[in-house]
Amino acid sequence: MTAVVALPSARRPLTAWRWVATRLAGAVFVLWAVATLTFFSIRLIPGDPAEAILGGPGSRATPEALAQVREQYGFNQPLFVQYLNEIGRLARGDFGTSYALKAPVTTVILEGAGNTLILAAVSLAVAWLIAIGLAVWATRGGRVSRAIATGLEIVSAAVPNFWLATIFILIFSIGLHWLPPVSAPGIPGLVLPVLTLAIPLAGFLGQVMRESLLNALDAPFTLSARARGESETGVTLKHALRHAALPGISLSGWAFGSLISGAVVVETVFARPGLGRSLLNAVLIRDIPVVIGVVMVVALVYIVVTLLTDLADRIADPRLRNP
């Protein structure tokens, strides 16, 4: 009887292409859904977009001027027609022109994207460092250390960004005069905004990693490492921590998206220029092209980061790779 031997290598290219195609289709769907929800949500805000273009309620625009603007921007068309025009424009990569700034939305986004992405990336790195420190301390420091670390994780995860930012300003800016209370060039101006975003996220990641690290320290591969004479520090850092980080890596895409969302509050409190502050100002004045453009860019960044975390998962855990 002849045995049939499977050739997994022949299936790898097809599986890889299917994985890429699935991710691309999902990305297109997410971008379409975000654009659709943003378009209809911004139209639910009370007020006339034509009036916003002419300077807001205080501009005292004449009915003739309002009618001309509605005709120029297509506001006199049915809402569904406006939606189709907006989706078609976005599909061509055209974000339009800001109503308030009279500048291309692409320019507005490029001016603020760098600051927000740097803030989110540094905050994510700091959150990971704090989370790893808390998880290792909780698992290696005994019962008292575990209780303290667990309490710190719970409290930090529950702290609102705006409250933490206010406390930091009161202590480190007004009280101790160590750090600037508003945006300033260089590292000093980045410290408080980064900590404001990183600490709540670190509490959440720390809780996830602590449980995974406890399970990893009791797993057979760590027992084998101890039997080979590996020290407890080596077992934790070389073996257990890598496996304990897998759930956190999977959540990093979501975490990065939440950091960009939190940047709306943090950039406003610390008067820091960026996408978050631009988005808030655009919503307040009904600058529809800027709102849709910023939200679309944030969604695109979230998709890219999620894809990278998926790839990192596959690198860190060989079991996720298709045979």
Side-chain angles (χ1 to χ4, degrees):
M1 187 174 183
T2 304
V4 178
V5 180
L7 298 176
S9 60
R11 297 197 302 269
R12 286 179 183 173
L14 179 60
T15 303
W17 280 112
R18 185 179 301 167
W19 182 83
V20 172
T22 302
R23 295 304 185 275
L24 289 177
V28 172
F29 174 78
V30 168
L31 290 175
W32 168 79
V34 167
T36 300
L37 291 174
T38 304
F39 176 84
F40 287 106
S41 297
I42 196 69
R43 290 307 175 92
L44 292 176
I45 298 177
D48 186 352
E51 191 176 64
I53 294 174
L54 294 174
S59 63
R60 298 180 180 179
T62 63
E64 293 77 12
L66 291 172
Q68 183 179 357
V69 169
R70 293 190 187 101
E71 177 71 24
Q72 179 181 353
Y73 287 88
F75 296 145
N76 56 346
Q77 298 178 345
L79 186 60
F80 188 69
V81 174
Q82 297 181 44
Y83 164 72
L84 292 179
N85 292 335
E86 185 71 26
I87 293 297
R89 186 166 52 79
L90 292 174
R92 297 191 301 270
D94 181 11
F95 290 109
T97 302
S98 168
Y99 295 162
L101 302 176
K102 310 301 181 186
V105 174
T106 304
T107 303
V108 177
I109 292 174
L110 291 176
E111 289 176 352
N115 289 332
T116 299
L117 293 178
I118 290 174
L119 177 63
V122 175
S123 299
L124 182 61
V126 172
W128 263 102
L129 292 176
I130 297 174
I132 291 173
L134 287 174
V136 172
W137 184 37
T139 55
R140 295 289 310 279
R143 184 176 300 177
V144 176
S145 298
R146 183 177 302 178
I148 296 174
T150 302
L152 290 175
E153 291 167 355
I154 294 173
V155 171
S156 60
V159 172
N161 292 123
F162 68 88
W163 183 86
L164 192 60
T166 303
I167 295 299
F168 280 160
I169 291 174
L170 290 175
I171 295 175
F172 296 104
S173 299
I174 299 176
L176 299 175
H177 302 287
W178 287 356
L179 296 167
V182 295
S183 176
I187 295 178
L190 195 62
V191 173
L192 293 185
V194 164
L195 291 178
T196 301
L197 286 175
I199 289 178
L201 179 59
F204 180 78
L205 292 176
Q207 294 179 65
V208 175
M209 286 191 59
R210 173 169 46 82
E211 296 299 325
S212 299
L213 187 56
L214 287 172
N215 293 331
L217 288 173
D218 293 331
F221 64 87
T222 56
L223 298 177
S224 300
R226 292 189 184 97
R228 294 194 301 268
E230 190 82 51
S231 65
E232 284 298 320
T233 302
V235 168
T236 301
L237 298 180
K238 294 180 182 179
H239 304 282
L241 194 59
R242 175 182 176 181
H243 291 266
L246 292 176
I249 293 175
S250 301
L251 292 171
S252 291
W254 164 85
F256 195 83
S258 69
L259 288 174
I260 295 180
S261 301
V264 175
V265 175
V266 172
E267 289 176 352
T268 301
V269 173
F270 291 101
R272 179 180 174 83
L275 288 181
R277 195 176 178 193
S278 298
L279 177 61
L280 179 61
N281 293 334
V283 170
L284 293 176
I285 62 176
R286 291 179 60 85
D287 197 339
I288 298 175
V290 173
V291 174
I292 296 178
V294 171
V295 173
M296 290 288 288
V297 168
V298 171
L300 181 60
V301 170
Y302 174 78
I303 290 171
V304 172
V305 173
T306 302
L307 178 61
L308 293 177
T309 55
D310 198 353
L311 291 174
D313 269 343
R314 290 167 170 261
I315 294 173
D317 190 354
R319 296 172 299 179
L320 297 177
R321 304 169 196 168
N322 292 317

